[in-house]
Amino acid sequence: MKIIVPMAGRGSRLRPHTLTIPKPLIPIAGKSIVHRLVEDIAKILKEPVTEVAFILGDEAFFGEQVVADLETLAKSLGAKASIYRQDQPLGTGHAIMCAQDSLSGPAVIAYADTLIRADFELDSQADAVIWVKQVDQPEAFGVVKLNATNDIIELVEKPTTFVSDLAVIGIYYFKEVGDLKTELQKVLDNNIQNGGEYQINDGIKAMMANGKVFKTGSVDEWMDCGNKEVTVETNSRMLGFLHQDGAPLVADSVQLENATIIPPCYIGENVVLVNATVGPNVSLGKGCRVENATVKNSLIQTNSVIKNATLDNAMIGNHARFDGAFTSVNIGDYSVLE
């Protein structure tokens, strides 16, 4: 089984954080979004992953350290890492075709801006599976239309009339991903674009027209990382799940001085807490220092200093300094508020 991960986009909705780090590498509860996504998919598949193909943007932004981290991630699953580049933002279908040398055999394609919790068996009778989540407002999403035997027969983007409440979350399984490759090549050759881009949906629709059977796979939890608000919420939800699982979340090297940690929290290596209350639902990356402060429901990356503050619903980047009485902030790497 292969996992194909398009992750070339810069994540403009999550600025300023994504000005200096690709969105898929932003940590959620101590691990990057892409790390958690790939690990969780591997668990669901319940079979060996032989290759993880990452489609990255330009080398100036997705540099050598990004490549090294992704290679380490693939190796941790016993898989080969393949690195491809999408130099132009020409859509989901174009991104997938940038990895065409890896598009053969069974594969999962997953976009690295979402996290899931799920446990189900892939339908062995299906040619493909589109993972979905039941939602309250389907008109805000792309949804699937089913027939009487629960085959997917249509993909509808933001329907104005009710089609179904099963939203497409951006994760797909193909028994033979080469079939998708064939159809996407036709999309590129015939310059079939939607919104000025080449879309995976056009390849999928062609497969359906050729009689391929598509089924749904339902996830229990679908967590977005699109902007600051939902990313902080996703961090909180993931901390809750990990706490329930009994995962170790507080490093042994954490130093406490008149400080309290209210779980669930992720506290990284060499974090120092002085006269502080941290939690619930806080992630503090390695090397952070929190002094004379109260922090809850917040995501703070690495090597940042928080002083004299009461923070709730905050997202702070790497190597930042925050000193003040603000209560809800969104600042990126190397920022200073004093």
Side-chain angles (χ1 to χ4, degrees), residues 26-33 36 115 225 231 234-235 238 283 299:
I26 288 177
I28 298 293
K31 284 186 181 180
S32 71
I33 295 168
R36 290 202 176 279
L115 292 172
C225 300
T231 300
T234 289
N235 180 70
M238 182 59 69
S283 285
L299 171 57

Side-chain angles (χ1 to χ4, degrees), residues 260-296:
T260 301
I261 298 173
I262 303 172
C265 286
Y266 169 80
I267 312 292
E269 297 286 348
N270 300 314
V271 168
V272 178
L273 306 178
V274 179
N275 299 323
T277 299
V278 174
N281 304 320
V282 172
S283 285
L284 285 174
K286 66 179 182 180
C288 285
R289 182 181 180 90
V290 179
E291 185 175 338
N292 300 323
T294 298
V295 183
K296 62 182 179 179

Side-chain angles (χ1 to χ4, degrees), residues 13-253:
R13 290 189 298 151
L14 203 49
R15 291 174 180 167
H17 307 281
T18 52
L19 293 173
T20 52
I21 182 173
K23 181 169 71 171
L25 298 185
I26 288 177
I28 298 293
K31 284 186 181 180
S32 71
I33 295 168
V34 67
H35 196 134
R36 290 202 176 279
L37 177 64
V38 170
E39 283 189 339
D40 287 344
I41 290 173
K43 291 176 185 176
I44 292 169
L45 295 176
K46 300 183 177 71
E47 61 180 274
V49 176
T50 58
E51 179 183 359
V52 185
F54 300 98
I55 300 110
L56 311 181
D58 61 85
E59 293 186 33
F61 194 55
F62 295 83
E64 292 181 3
Q65 187 58 55
V66 172
V67 171
D69 291 343
L70 296 176
E71 289 175 340
T72 299
L73 169 56
K75 186 177 180 181
S76 72
L77 300 174
K80 178 183 86 169
S82 297
I83 304 297
Y84 299 94
R85 298 283 179 177
Q86 183 189 26
D87 295 330
Q88 301 179 68
L90 295 179
T92 56
H94 178 266
I96 293 163
M97 289 300 287
C98 290
Q100 58 182 289
D101 289 347
S102 295
L103 299 181
S104 62
V108 168
I109 295 175
Y111 295 100
D113 59 357
T114 190
L115 292 172
I116 59 169
R117 300 280 284 188
D119 184 13
F120 63 86
E121 299 288 339
L122 288 172
D123 190 330
S124 61
Q125 302 302 310
D127 296 305
V129 174
I130 298 178
W131 295 4
V132 299
K133 180 71 173 70
Q134 191 171 29
V135 295
D136 293 331
Q137 296 178 304
E139 66 275 8
F141 301 91
V143 301
V144 297
K145 182 178 181 179
L146 307 180
N147 64 12
T149 57
N150 289 323
D151 296 345
I152 301 172
I153 57 172
E154 192 176 352
L155 301 175
V156 183
E157 185 65 26
K158 297 183 179 178
T160 55
T161 59
F162 184 80
V163 174
S164 82
D165 57 1
L166 300 177
V168 177
I169 69 170
I171 306 177
Y172 312 82
Y173 162 76
F174 297 90
K175 185 182 291 185
E176 175 46 73
V177 75
D179 294 335
L180 177 67
K181 175 183 176 181
T182 297
E183 300 304 334
L184 285 178
Q185 187 61 58
K186 296 175 184 177
V187 169
L188 296 179
D189 291 343
N190 293 292
N191 197 31
I192 300 171
Q193 297 188 29
N194 283 291
E197 297 180 336
Y198 303 100
Q199 304 294 353
I200 185 177
N201 282 3
D202 289 311
I204 290 173
K205 290 174 182 178
M207 289 179 65
M208 291 178 181
N210 291 336
K212 298 297 184 182
V213 176
F214 280 71
K215 294 287 189 179
T216 59
S218 296
V219 298
D220 301 316
E221 297 286 345
W222 173 28
M223 295 163 280
D224 189 18
C225 300
N227 57 38
K228 176 252 180 177
E229 284 73 21
V230 297
T231 300
V232 171
E233 179 186 353
T234 289
N235 180 70
S236 296
R237 291 171 66 188
M238 182 59 69
L239 286 169
F241 296 136
L242 295 172
H243 183 67
Q244 291 173 11
D245 294 343
L249 293 174
V250 179
D252 293 337
S253 57

